[in-house]
Amino acid sequence: MKKLALISIACSFLLAGCWDERLYKEFTIVPLVGYDREEGELTGYHTYTTVSAPDMLSYSTVVGKGASVKEVGFDANRKIGETLDFSQLQVILVSEEMAKSNLLETFDVLFREPHNRLSSKLAVVEGEIASYMEKTEEMGLEAPDFYLKNLKTAAAHSIIPDINVNEASTRINDKGIDLFLPYIKMSESGEIPELAGVALFSNKVFSGHTLDDKESLIVNILAKQPGKFTVFSYEWKQGNKTYPITVEIARYTKKWNIHDNQIDANYKVKLSVEEFAHNHLNDEKTVKELEQFLSKEMTKDFNKVIKKLQEAKSDAVGFGRTVRAFHPHLWNEGKWQDTFAELDIEVKVKAKIAHSGILN
Amino acid sequence: MKFMLSRNQFFLLLFIVQTGSSFFSFPAPFVNAAGRDAWLLFIVSAIFHYMLLLFYERNYDYFTMGPFVSWLYKGYWLFVVISYLAYVDYTLAVWGFPKTPQYIVIGILVTVSLYANLSRAETAINLPVLLIPLILAFLGFLQFAWGDVIWTNIFPIGQITGTEWWKGLLKGQTAFIGIELYLVFRSRVDIKQNIKGLPLFVYQMTWFLFFFFSVLLTIWYFTPTGVKLVPEPLLFLLRTQEVTFIERLDLFFLYIWTVWTIVTVTLVSFTALYVHRQHAKEKQVRDTIIWHVLLVVLPLFFLKKENVDYLNDLIIYVHLVFAIIIPVIVIFINRRKRK
C-alpha cells in the first residue's frame, strides 16, 4: 500500500505541464489584426485561419468591439464560437486615430501575457481599417502574408524601419528617441494597400505627420539603421542630356558634433554605382564631379528631412539619446521634443564612389 | 558525514548557491534602486564581496558552530530555501505553468533534493557539474541581444545620489546570499589544494563578471521606465529574441533556471542537514524527510506576488545577520577562547 502511494505520488509529478498544454485544435490562430478607435471604443478586426479543405488553409475576418484589446478579442470569440489565439500574430495594423493614443497602454496585454509574440510587425494605416483587412484580387496573397512580405521587403530596402512590437515599446519608453512606424495607404484605385512611407510619432503618440518612402529611407540612414539594401536615384545633367544615376550605399560613417544649441551631423558615404549610362567612371574628373553632385543632392535631401522631423517634433533619428548621455545641459532645457524642434541641425553628406560595377 | 571537497568542487558549489535563484531576480531591483550608475555601484559591492571572502579565508578555522548557532543557521537556510522556492514557483506559474497546481511544481523541485540528500554526500556535491553546460548555453543565448543594446544608456556617469548608493548597496546583497557556505565547507577542502591568493581571486572575478554582465545588459537593453515594468529582465530579454528553431526562447531558459534552482535547493539543504548531523547523529533519514516536508509545505503560504516580493526584500537583511554579524561574533569569541 505504501509503495503504491509512493508510486502514485511520483507518477503525479509526470503530469506537471498537462494542465497548461495548449493544443492547436482548441484555438484559432490569428496572424493579422487591425484596430481602430472611435469615441473611446475599440474595434478590432481579426483575420483568423480556417481549414476549408484538408491541407488547405483560408482566412476569414471577424470584428469585435470593446474597451480593451482583450475585451475586443472576447467579443470576437463569441461571434465565431472559437477561441482566438494571438501567439502567432504576424502583423498589427492600427488606424491613425488609434495611433494618436499611447500604443503601449493599448497593447499592454501583448507584454503581460508571456505566450504573446513580441516580434509582430506594427504599421499605421490611413483611413478606416476595415478596407485593409480584406483580401483583394490585386494582393495576390492572403492579407496576412501580403502585409508581412511587404513590410519585410521594405525593411530590407531601408524604406521603413525594421521595428517590431518590442522595439516600438522600447522607443515609446525612451525619452531620447521617437517612434516611427510604416505608413500604409490604399492605392488610388482603392484595390491594393501600398506602403507610403512612415508615420512620425512625437512623445509616444502619432504626430499626424508622415514621410514618403524616400524621406523615410533617409531617416533610416541618419539613424544608422539601414536595411540590407539602401539605394538612391538622382538625375545628373550633363550638357543638354540627363542621365539617371542609381547608387547603393556600400558603407558609411556618421559623426555628430553637438555644441550649444547646434548639431553638426557629418556622414561619409561610400557608394556603389548601380546604374549610370553616361559611363566614364574611370575618368577622375567625371568621378569627382559625380561625387560633388551626389554630396550636394544628398545633403539637400537629408536637411529637408531633418526640417520635417523638427516640424513634427519627432526625433526619429535618436539625437536625444546622445544628447541625454553626453550633453546634460541641453537635455535638461525642457521636454526633448520641444528642444529638438528648436535646434540648429545641419547635415553634411560627403559622398565617395567606391565601386562602379563591372563597367567603367 | 565524512567527505572531502576538491578546490573545484568547493568553488562550483559556492558559485551555484550564490547565483542559483537570485540570478534572475537580482538585476531589476538592483538597477531600479541604483539607477543608471548601478554598474558602478556593483564594482564597489564586488570589492566588499572580495574583502568578505578574504576575511572568511583568514578566519574560517575559528568558525565552529555550537548547537545554538547551528539551529540559528538551520532556521536561516530554511528561510532562504523557502524564499527561493516561493519565488521560483511564482515565476514558473506566471511564465510557464499558470494552471498547474503549485504544490506539484514545488513537489518536483523538492523531490530531487530529497533523493540527493538521502544518498551519499557525493551525490549532492557533484550535482552542480550538471549545470556547467546549461549556464554556458544561457550566457551564449543572451548574446542574441547584443544587436539591440543601447550603449549610451550608461551615460551620464556619476549621477547617483546618496540614497541610491545606500539602497543599491543593500539590494546588491542579493548577489552575496549563500556566501556563508564558504565558512561551512572551507575546512572540508583538501588541504593539499591551495585556496588563498590566485584561486580565490579567480572565483571572485567569475562571480563578479557573471553578475556584472547581467547588470550591464539590463541597463543597456532596457530604458529606466522599461526596467521598472519588468521584474525578470533577463528572462524578458530572451522572450523578445526571435530565433528560427524555437518559438519561445524564454521557456527554454526558464527550465534551465529551474534546474539551477533545484540544485541550489539541494545544496542549501545538504548544508543545513550536514550542520544538523554534527550535533544530532541519530534518526538522520527521519530528519531529512521532515526538512523536505517543510520545504514542500511552507512555500505554499507565500505564493502571491506580494509575499514573494516581501520575502525577496526581507532576505537581504536576514542575510546580513548570517553572513556578517554572526560570523564576526563567532570568530571573535572563538579567537579569544583559543588565545
Side-chain angles (χ1 to χ4, degrees):
Chain A
M1 191 62 196
K2 243 186 193 174
K3 256 189 183 172
L4 195 68
L6 280 173
I7 292 169
S8 305
I9 293 170
C11 286
S12 74
F13 291 164
L14 299 175
L15 296 173
C18 291
W19 286 272
D20 288 296
E21 66 179 2
R22 292 166 57 84
L23 301 175
Y24 273 117
K25 64 179 181 182
E26 292 168 1
F27 295 95
T28 302
I29 299 296
V30 179
L32 170 70
V33 288
Y35 291 101
D36 205 345
R37 194 193 292 280
E38 258 180 65
E39 292 165 8
E41 191 179 50
L42 201 63
T43 308
Y45 299 79
H46 310 81
T47 300
Y48 61 96
T49 48
T50 50
V51 181
S52 49
D55 300 330
M56 198 172 159
L57 285 179
S58 63
Y59 294 89
S60 299
T61 301
V62 60
V63 183
K65 284 179 187 289
S68 68
V69 168
K70 199 74 183 172
E71 199 186 359
V72 165
F74 286 142
D75 188 41
N77 287 346
R78 276 195 293 274
K79 285 180 181 164
I80 56 165
E82 290 182 53
T83 308
L84 298 176
D85 181 80
F86 297 86
S87 64
Q88 310 281 312
L89 197 56
Q90 293 173 338
V91 180
I92 303 172
L93 303 178
V94 293
S95 68
E96 287 173 302
E97 199 50 42
M98 171 95 178
K100 283 179 181 163
S101 60
N102 187 343
L103 293 177
L104 209 53
E105 287 171 6
T106 309
F107 293 116
D108 179 78
V109 64
L110 290 181
F111 299 90
R112 198 169 290 277
E113 289 189 349
H115 54 259
N116 285 331
R117 196 186 259 186
L118 295 182
S119 54
S120 319
K121 306 284 178 200
L122 202 56
V124 177
V125 300
E126 186 191 53
E128 286 189 4
I129 208 118
S131 54
Y132 293 87
M133 301 303 290
E134 298 301 332
K135 183 190 171 186
T136 61
E137 268 185 33
E138 298 268 318
M139 275 185 181
L141 294 166
E142 294 289 350
D145 300 328
F146 170 81
Y147 286 113
L148 187 65
K149 200 177 158 202
N150 271 282
L151 291 172
K152 278 189 172 173
T153 308
H157 285 85
S158 312
I159 295 167
I160 56 163
D162 192 10
I163 285 181
N164 58 27
V165 171
N166 182 57
E167 172 67 16
S169 80
T170 305
R171 282 178 173 242
I172 288 174
N173 276 329
D174 195 333
K175 289 176 186 163
I177 193 165
D178 283 306
L179 178 64
F180 62 126
L181 288 177
Y183 186 64
I184 299 173
K185 272 182 179 175
M186 200 50 89
S187 66
E188 280 179 17
S189 64
E191 284 292 307
I192 188 162
E194 287 174 344
L195 203 62
V198 289
L200 297 174
F201 283 60
S202 175
N203 193 25
K204 302 178 196 254
V205 295
F206 176 45
S207 63
H209 294 255
T210 58
L211 296 179
D212 67 24
D213 52 355
K214 192 178 175 186
E215 291 165 337
S216 64
L217 184 142
I218 291 172
V219 178
N220 281 321
I221 302 301
L222 284 166
K224 220 164 182 242
Q225 286 176 335
K228 210 170 175 184
F229 316 102
T230 314
V231 176
F232 286 88
S233 289
Y234 291 101
E235 287 190 335
W236 189 54
K237 279 187 184 161
Q238 184 73 344
N240 296 331
K241 225 174 160 191
T242 305
Y243 297 94
I245 172 161
T246 305
V247 288
E248 185 183 357
I249 293 185
R251 57 184 176 275
Y252 71 105
T253 55
K254 76 167 168 51
K255 197 177 176 194
W256 294 344
N257 289 321
I258 301 170
H259 46 92
D260 304 321
N261 280 10
Q262 193 178 333
I263 299 178
D264 295 323
N266 297 303
Y267 290 80
K268 283 186 180 171
V269 186
K270 289 202 169 167
L271 302 166
S272 170
V273 178
E274 292 204 330
E275 204 176 29
F276 186 55
H278 178 269
N279 295 320
H280 305 297
L281 285 173
N282 55 338
D283 175 20
E284 211 176 298
K285 192 177 158 238
T286 310
V287 171
K288 211 147 210 160
E289 277 178 29
L290 201 56
E291 283 176 349
Q292 276 172 359
F293 167 74
L294 289 169
S295 300
K296 196 178 146 204
E297 290 300 313
M298 288 173 102
T299 300
K300 197 170 78 191
D301 288 345
F302 278 40
N303 279 305
K304 226 188 265 175
V305 170
I306 289 287
K307 289 280 168 288
K308 282 201 169 186
L309 292 177
Q310 287 183 302
E311 273 168 32
K313 290 192 175 184
S314 173
D315 179 13
V317 177
F319 288 111
R321 281 180 171 166
T322 308
V323 170
R324 184 197 51 70
F326 305 111
H327 305 274
H329 62 283
L330 189 55
W331 178 254
N332 293 327
E333 273 188 13
K335 201 169 83 180
W336 171 244
Q337 281 76 15
D338 295 335
T339 313
F340 168 73
E342 299 300 320
L343 284 177
D344 180 12
I345 303 174
E346 203 184 322
V347 185
K348 268 188 196 153
V349 182
K350 196 173 178 191
K352 195 161 179 58
I353 306 285
H355 311 285
S356 64
I358 55 172
L359 298 181
N360 277 323
Chain B
M1 195 188 274
K2 283 186 178 164
F3 61 90
M4 188 66 83
L5 293 171
S6 71
R7 185 171 62 197
N8 291 344
Q9 280 174 322
F10 172 65
F11 281 134
L12 187 58
L13 182 150
L14 201 60
F15 181 76
I16 296 300
V17 172
Q18 285 202 272
T19 52
S21 175
S22 58
F23 185 57
F24 274 148
S25 65
F26 168 72
F30 181 65
V31 172
N32 284 331
R36 249 180 242 286
D37 286 330
W39 62 280
L40 210 61
L41 186 62
F42 191 73
I43 295 174
V44 177
S45 286
I47 294 168
F48 178 62
H49 182 266
Y50 189 45
M51 282 162 61
L52 199 59
L53 283 178
L54 291 173
F55 170 74
Y56 284 174
E57 175 59 24
R58 206 181 153 99
N59 296 292
Y60 71 89
D61 230 8
Y62 297 103
F63 188 78
T64 47
M65 290 191 224
F68 176 68
V69 174
S70 140
W71 273 105
L72 284 179
Y73 271 92
K74 277 180 273 181
Y76 165 61
W77 287 320
L78 184 66
F79 171 70
V80 168
V81 179
I82 288 167
S83 304
Y84 282 179
L85 284 170
Y87 175 63
V88 75
D89 194 46
Y90 174 78
T91 310
L92 281 171
V94 171
W95 282 84
F97 302 111
K99 294 195 168 63
T100 303
Q102 288 175 303
Y103 67 87
I104 295 275
V105 178
I106 293 188
I108 294 170
L109 300 177
V110 173
T111 305
V112 178
S113 172
L114 176 66
Y115 172 76
N117 280 293
L118 286 174
S119 310
R120 293 184 309 151
E122 287 79 2
T123 311
I125 291 165
N126 290 324
L127 216 49
V129 177
L130 175 82
L131 285 172
I132 295 174
L134 299 181
I135 294 173
L136 292 176
F138 171 68
L139 291 175
F141 277 99
L142 281 179
Q143 313 305 319
F144 276 112
W146 225 233
D148 300 325
V149 299
I150 297 146
W151 305 94
T152 50
N153 275 359
I154 58 165
F155 299 105
I157 297 173
Q159 305 272 307
I160 191 167
T161 63
T163 321
E164 285 174 334
W165 266 104
W166 172 242
K167 281 187 183 170
L169 281 172
L170 264 182
K171 291 285 179 195
Q173 289 299 311
T174 309
F176 288 45
I177 295 172
I179 194 171
E180 70 284 349
L181 263 62
Y182 190 99
L183 291 168
V184 180
F185 292 117
R186 175 63 181 90
S187 54
R188 289 285 178 172
V189 180
D190 187 354
I191 48 167
K192 286 179 228 153
Q193 295 188 335
N194 184 33
I195 293 282
K196 215 189 274 184
L198 186 66
L200 191 60
F201 182 72
V202 170
Y203 173 73
Q204 161 68 18
M205 287 311 289
T206 312
W207 171 90
F208 166 70
L209 290 174
F210 194 74
F211 280 105
F212 188 64
F213 173 63
S214 77
V215 171
L216 266 188
L217 201 57
T218 305
I219 300 172
W220 278 336
Y221 190 85
F222 293 92
T223 59
T225 320
V227 80
K228 278 194 180 81
L229 294 170
V230 182
E232 284 83 28
L234 298 182
L235 209 50
F236 192 89
L237 187 152
L238 288 168
R239 185 189 163 208
T240 62
Q241 301 308 308
E242 195 181 10
V243 286
T244 49
F245 55 90
I246 189 168
E247 176 68 30
R248 281 188 61 193
L249 204 54
D250 57 311
L251 273 190
F252 187 57
F253 287 96
L254 190 67
Y255 299 140
I256 290 184
W257 178 57
T258 307
V259 177
W260 205 331
T261 308
I262 290 173
V263 177
T264 307
V265 167
T266 306
L267 292 174
V268 178
S269 299
F270 173 76
T271 313
L273 292 166
Y274 161 69
V275 168
H276 177 68
R277 283 165 195 167
Q278 286 178 338
H279 299 106
K281 294 195 174 10
E282 287 171 9
K283 295 183 178 168
Q284 293 183 354
V285 173
R286 184 203 64 182
D287 293 346
T288 306
I289 291 171
I290 291 173
W291 171 269
H292 285 89
V293 169
L294 289 174
L295 294 192
V296 175
V297 176
L298 294 177
L300 297 175
F301 296 102
F302 301 96
L303 294 178
K304 276 192 243 158
K305 179 165 178 55
E306 187 189 355
N307 295 338
V308 169
D309 288 344
Y310 176 71
L311 287 180
N312 280 345
D313 284 344
L314 183 66
I315 199 170
I316 293 168
Y317 300 99
V318 184
H319 148 79
L320 287 173
V321 174
F322 286 89
I324 300 171
I325 299 173
I326 297 182
V328 166
I329 296 170
V330 172
I331 288 166
F332 178 72
I333 293 171
N334 285 339
R335 277 184 86 118
R336 280 189 65 118
K337 269 187 195 168
R338 287 191 204 178
K339 271 184 186 171

